[in-house]
Amino acid sequence: MDGRDLVRSVRAVASVGAAQGLRTVRAAWRRRRADARGLPPRGPVRARVPGTVREVEPGPGGGLVRFSRSDLRIFVAVNGAVFWGWDGAAPEPSYALAGRCPGPDPRAALEPDKDGGWRVVAERVTVVVSRHGAVEVLTPGGVPLRRDLPPRWWEPAGGGTARWSQRSEVAADARFFGLGGRASGPRLRDGAYRLWNTGPDRVARRGVGPLSVTMPAQMVVADAGTHLVFHDSSWDGTVTLREGEEGAGSGHDRAGTSELRMDGGPLRCWVMVGTPARVLLTWASLTGAPALPPAWALGHQHARWGGGGEEELRTVVEGHLEHRLPLDAVHLGAGHFDSRRVFTVDQDRFPKLPVLADELRREGIRLVSVVGPAVEMRPGSPVYDDGVGRDAFVRGASGEVVRGVSWSGDAVFPDFTHPRVRAWWGSLYAERLAQGFTGFWHTLDEPTPSTVFGEGTLPRSAGHALDGRRGDHREAHNVYGLCMARAAYEGLRSRVPEERPFVLARSGWAGVQRYAGVWSGEVGAGWSGLRASLALVLGLGLCGIPYSGPDTGGPDGARSAELYLRRLQLGACLPLFRTCAGTGGGEPWELGAEILEHARAALAERRRLFPYFMTLAHLARRTGAPYVRPLWWSAPEERPLRDCEDAFLLGDCLLVAPVLGPGVDRRAVQLPRGRWYDTATGRAYEGPARVLVDAPLSRIPVFARGGAVLPVRGEDGGTELEVWAPARGRTGSGLVVPDAGDGWEEPEIERFTVRWSGARILVEREGEGGSGEPPWPVRVRGLEPGGGQM
């Protein structure tokens, strides 16, 4: 422990209390001591580069290129993605992939290129390998998108895991996005970005974290095209980005650069090229379709962190009903546990929880329970004793069970990278299901119960099964939350097969969307935290995690009514809409009549748009497209849109411009090409343009695309189509996916077209048998110049 950690130790004791702080300090000492003993000592290393090409072995979709000091396996898959792996690395095994790797494209072949290099030509991409090991990705027209320079390895002289680095160049006009959820995004400026999952810390309040979902997946957008690159290694690493600069006059362009440095793992890479929609469709075909949340999970959810009991829970629900605030789920924090029995509801404070849960469900309200991976070391506790008997807990390099720290004291941690442990853990959710809980949200699954040291509770030398491969926590840390989410998802599917599981993860990696959505918790206090919330959701969506959101409200929001309301208005437009309150309050009726009225309006609009959110959820599952999209989604070649970070598209139909600063009642909005209607006033604007619109405290600006068809909830509770008139001479369209409930039925996608017929707007449903009348009532808006409706 160095001097910096000593200072953090003192802060830990002061911030969490003497007893818990001392446990944290002791755990840090144990972790450091275990790593000093269990990890190989750093010694001399040998640097290595690939060398020059010696021979080539063509194969399906590509082949094997042998260099003097390394081998490169490269092929194009049937879905259009390109894979290459150095030192012969194969795509499998991988926690990112959903099932088996897609097969090679038989139409692609490895063929000679100029200057002793080789190339693979496919339908949507050309890949060129130089004789020294540089790999260049080009469009079918030959325009360069990315150039990876020959990699470097640093291998321990005595053997062991090698560190490696990969430096890449992109176009001077390119912009970087992704790398998981980044509070400083969504556009990633020049700087270093760490790839090591950690929980929220004070650093999050400075716009740097939290980093609970990191992954080496970048989406790069340039004039020449869009591509996504994923280096499939879950080890600790750092990505250093530097945007390029275009030369003025006769000056030369300076390429943008990305340098990835990893502490270990295979050097293997996937690249997908195309439009943003095509890129994420290909990404979803690799990493898995996002889990479809149950219908109620697209409504308003409310989390209570405090203790309390059944009476407090009833008071919260009655408060929402009394003030006509829509409510679909209540999340209970750690206060509902029995401190004497892990994974068990406190029967003293919740004596009749199943009865209460049944009453709430009849009101359309579900209960969600928090779950952490830590199991308190309490002999006599059923879960702890059962886990010890099953050898379920992570062990250190010397064979002893690793002790860490949880919110309740010293704890041990299951090894979720073992199939047997995942099955056991999944079975434990049966107790919560019997108590009436319908969903589960995971926390501290980085696992970092205390982030004052920033490295996690488990030492890096701790052993993990890694699904039969064996390894240590250096490789398992980033996928730990993913494997925990998988355990919960599979356990719930086997016990309640007729319902779609609801699992929220705080931590994860590429592929976590197969099992869970992501909640980012408190991303930071104040207005900077509000901006970070939007950046996180946009970034996660571009990495294939469409269902995510922050906590809205909270104690710091309660101290500022304006901040609370602006958070609520943004949260109501994000996929996961979860408000929160703690022992310090934070309910909207506590903030005054005006704030309550505006909060009610935001919640009512969310409920009105429920059919639209349901459609976006089904489309995300089938196509990988996120609900929340950057403005450049449909026009990445438009540079002003690439640099816009304070507005977003909600699906194809809506543009949302949240208020991200204090005292704002008017704001500028960048509109993409086409006609856009201010949904509050009905006024039409022609894009591309930058317009100044009102943003009173009662609402944030929302625009509808001309020709859009939105399914909404009518006043009678049924579905109706809200159609925004296209400009004269133009047409429009929209997709609707009706949801049959919380089961597994896959409803058909309904497509509607909008066109002018004389002075009338015609809305027709397209199908195999031709056009027909819509099955729901239609309401056309935007017909009159002043915003009239018909």
Side-chain angles (χ1 to χ4, degrees):
M1 179 178 290
D2 58 22
R4 181 178 298 177
D5 284 340
L6 181 60
V7 173
R8 290 172 175 168
S9 300
V10 175
R11 290 177 178 173
V13 174
S15 62
V16 302
Q20 185 72 354
L22 290 175
R23 291 192 192 100
T24 302
V25 173
R26 286 198 298 267
W29 276 105
R30 289 196 300 265
R31 186 173 63 248
R32 301 273 177 159
R33 186 170 60 246
D35 285 345
R37 296 173 178 174
L39 293 178
R42 289 194 175 186
V45 296
R46 292 189 296 262
R48 173 168 63 94
V49 294
T52 56
V53 174
R54 291 191 308 172
E55 59 180 340
V56 172
E57 298 180 13
L64 187 66
V65 183
R66 298 190 184 277
F67 294 79
S68 57
R69 290 182 289 277
S70 185
D71 297 337
L72 175 67
R73 184 192 308 272
I74 185 169
F75 69 87
V76 179
V78 290
N79 62 0
V82 181
F83 171 84
W84 65 78
W86 286 97
D87 288 346
E92 301 176 37
S94 169
Y95 282 104
L97 298 186
R100 300 303 304 271
C101 172
D105 185 348
R107 300 170 297 176
L110 192 63
E111 57 188 43
D113 195 50
K114 60 184 179 181
D115 299 327
W118 293 79
R119 67 179 181 180
V120 180
V121 180
E123 179 182 3
R124 295 194 292 270
V125 65
T126 297
V127 185
V128 177
V129 181
S130 77
R131 67 189 184 96
H132 292 292
V135 181
E136 191 170 17
V137 179
L138 304 96
T139 67
V143 180
L145 292 177
R146 183 181 194 88
R147 184 171 186 266
D148 284 10
L149 303 180
R152 289 178 174 270
W153 293 268
W154 289 270
E155 300 169 327
T161 301
R163 295 179 291 114
W164 55 266
S165 74
Q166 175 71 72
R167 183 179 174 86
S168 309
E169 296 178 346
V170 298
D173 65 284
R175 297 289 183 262
F176 298 102
F177 301 86
L179 297 181
R182 300 283 168 171
S184 56
R187 173 184 164 191
L188 303 177
R189 262 73 172 187
D190 296 0
Y193 299 86
R194 192 178 179 191
L195 301 169
W196 186 257
N197 291 350
T198 57
D201 195 5
R202 291 184 181 87
V203 71
R205 306 181 190 282
R206 297 195 293 271
V208 180
L211 305 174
S212 53
V213 181
T214 68
M215 65 183 80
Q218 298 177 36
M219 183 174 283
V220 185
V221 184
D223 288 352
T226 301
H227 71 274
L228 186 147
V229 58
F230 171 60
H231 288 87
D232 194 354
S233 171
S234 62
W235 286 63
D236 193 359
T238 301
V239 179
T240 303
L241 301 178
R242 184 185 181 190
E243 291 184 346
E245 184 176 347
E246 294 179 289
S250 60
H252 294 288
D253 290 350
R254 176 173 59 80
T257 60
S258 170
E259 184 173 8
L260 173 62
R261 289 180 172 267
M262 301 295 291
D263 286 350
L267 203 174
R268 56 187 180 182
C269 177
W270 287 95
V271 174
M272 287 131 271
V273 175
T275 64
R278 180 179 288 278
V279 163
L280 282 185
L281 176 62
T282 305
W283 177 243
S285 71
L286 280 176
T287 62
L292 183 66
W296 58 264
L298 295 171
H300 171 218
Q301 305 176 53
H302 186 66
R304 293 291 300 181
W305 280 102
E310 287 187 13
E311 289 306 313
E312 180 180 305
L313 177 56
R314 289 182 184 274
T315 300
V316 170
V317 172
E318 290 171 359
H320 281 80
L321 298 178
E322 177 186 350
H323 294 93
R324 305 192 313 280
L325 300 174
L327 182 63
D328 297 277
V330 177
H331 296 226
L332 298 185
H336 75 285
F337 291 150
D338 185 341
S339 61
R340 297 161 296 180
R341 303 179 65 196
V342 180
F343 227 108
T344 303
V345 171
D346 189 330
Q347 295 298 318
D348 294 333
R349 288 180 292 124
F350 294 91
K352 298 180 180 179
L353 187 57
V355 175
L356 176 57
D358 188 59
E359 294 175 1
L360 294 178
R361 188 155 186 163
R362 288 197 294 269
E363 294 283 346
I365 301 171
R366 270 69 171 185
L367 286 183
V368 178
S369 176
V370 68
V371 179
V375 176
E376 187 180 1
M377 294 183 63
R378 186 187 294 272
S381 166
V383 175
Y384 175 75
D385 290 347
D386 194 18
V388 170
R390 295 173 181 268
D391 191 23
F393 301 123
V394 174
R395 292 182 177 272
S398 58
E400 79 288 353
V401 173
V402 175
R403 285 194 302 160
V405 177
S406 75
W407 50 44
S408 57
D410 290 341
V412 292
F413 293 82
D415 182 7
F416 296 120
T417 68
H418 197 301
R420 171 176 51 80
V421 177
R422 288 197 298 268
W424 167 69
W425 187 263
S427 69
L428 298 179
Y429 290 76
E431 188 272 342
R432 306 283 178 91
L433 291 172
Q435 291 291 327
F437 289 103
T438 308
F440 302 89
W441 55 292
H442 293 172
T443 188
L444 307 179
D445 48 345
E446 292 83 12
T448 52
S450 174
T451 58
V452 290
F453 299 102
E455 298 296 327
T457 293
L458 296 174
R460 291 171 177 251
S461 58
H464 289 270
L466 292 173
D467 286 271
R469 294 184 290 113
R470 300 302 307 175
D472 58 39
H473 197 63
R474 292 176 296 175
E475 182 178 1
H477 177 84
N478 281 342
V479 299
Y480 190 86
L482 180 152
C483 293
M484 181 181 177
R486 178 181 178 181
Y489 182 86
E490 293 176 346
L492 293 173
R493 281 213 64 174
S494 65
R495 282 154 185 83
V496 194
E498 68 279 4
E499 295 184 6
R500 302 197 290 261
F502 177 73
V503 180
L504 285 181
R506 190 172 82 176
S507 178
W509 202 62
V512 70
Q513 76 278 356
R514 300 192 296 263
Y515 314 113
V518 169
W519 72 282
S520 52
E522 289 289 343
V523 298
W527 293 94
S528 62
L530 176 60
R531 184 176 289 273
S533 298
L534 176 56
L536 284 163
V537 174
L538 281 165
L540 289 171
L542 294 176
C543 290
I545 304 174
Y547 183 72
S548 69
D551 279 346
T552 299
D556 73 306
R559 289 194 292 268
S560 168
E562 181 190 11
L563 176 58
Y564 176 92
L565 194 56
R566 294 310 193 187
R567 280 185 169 181
L568 190 72
Q569 291 165 344
L570 171 60
C573 297
L574 301 180
L576 170 61
F577 179 32
R578 189 176 92 156
T579 56
C580 69
T583 55
E587 307 293 359
W589 53 85
E590 299 174 356
L591 303 177
E594 182 184 11
I595 298 300
L596 175 60
E597 179 184 356
H598 298 333
R600 185 183 298 116
L603 269 61
E605 180 63 10
R606 172 64 177 231
R607 175 147 294 192
R608 192 182 76 89
L609 290 176
F610 169 81
Y612 184 54
F613 275 95
M614 195 73 256
T615 294
L616 296 179
H618 278 282
L619 294 178
R621 177 166 178 79
R622 301 185 193 198
T623 69
Y627 311 33
V628 170
R629 308 165 186 178
L631 292 189
W632 49 261
W633 175 258
S634 299
E637 71 281 358
E638 297 286 343
R639 295 194 180 188
L641 301 182
R642 292 207 297 257
D643 295 337
C644 181
E645 300 177 278
D646 61 355
F648 61 91
L649 298 175
L650 183 58
D652 285 331
C653 299
L654 297 179
L655 186 154
V656 181
V659 174
L660 303 177
V664 174
D665 57 9
R666 285 177 66 82
R667 62 151 294 174
V669 181
Q670 182 71 45
L671 297 178
R673 192 176 304 276
R675 173 165 291 186
W676 294 90
Y677 293 93
D678 186 325
T679 58
T681 65
R683 180 177 176 181
Y685 298 88
E686 292 295 332
R690 188 171 179 83
V691 299
L692 188 64
V693 296
D694 291 334
L697 190 61
S698 59
R699 61 178 176 84
I700 57 176
V702 177
F703 295 82
R705 188 190 301 272
V709 180
L710 284 82
V712 298
R713 179 172 288 173
E715 295 181 0
D716 61 354
T719 299
E720 67 178 31
L721 299 182
E722 182 175 276
V723 177
W724 289 87
R728 288 281 183 174
R730 300 180 187 174
T731 61
S733 63
L735 302 177
V736 178
V737 183
D739 191 66
D742 295 340
W744 297 96
E745 181 180 347
E746 292 281 352
E748 294 292 330
I749 297 178
E750 304 274 5
R751 178 178 174 83
F752 297 89
T753 59
V754 183
R755 61 184 175 89
W756 284 95
S757 178
R760 299 175 58 244
I761 291 286
L762 288 185
V763 181
E764 298 174 312
R765 178 172 63 173
E766 289 190 344
E768 296 180 358
S771 301
E773 292 290 329
W776 302 291
V778 176
R779 181 173 180 241
V780 180
R781 300 188 62 184
L783 287 177
E784 298 180 8
Q789 303 167 9
M790 182 186 76

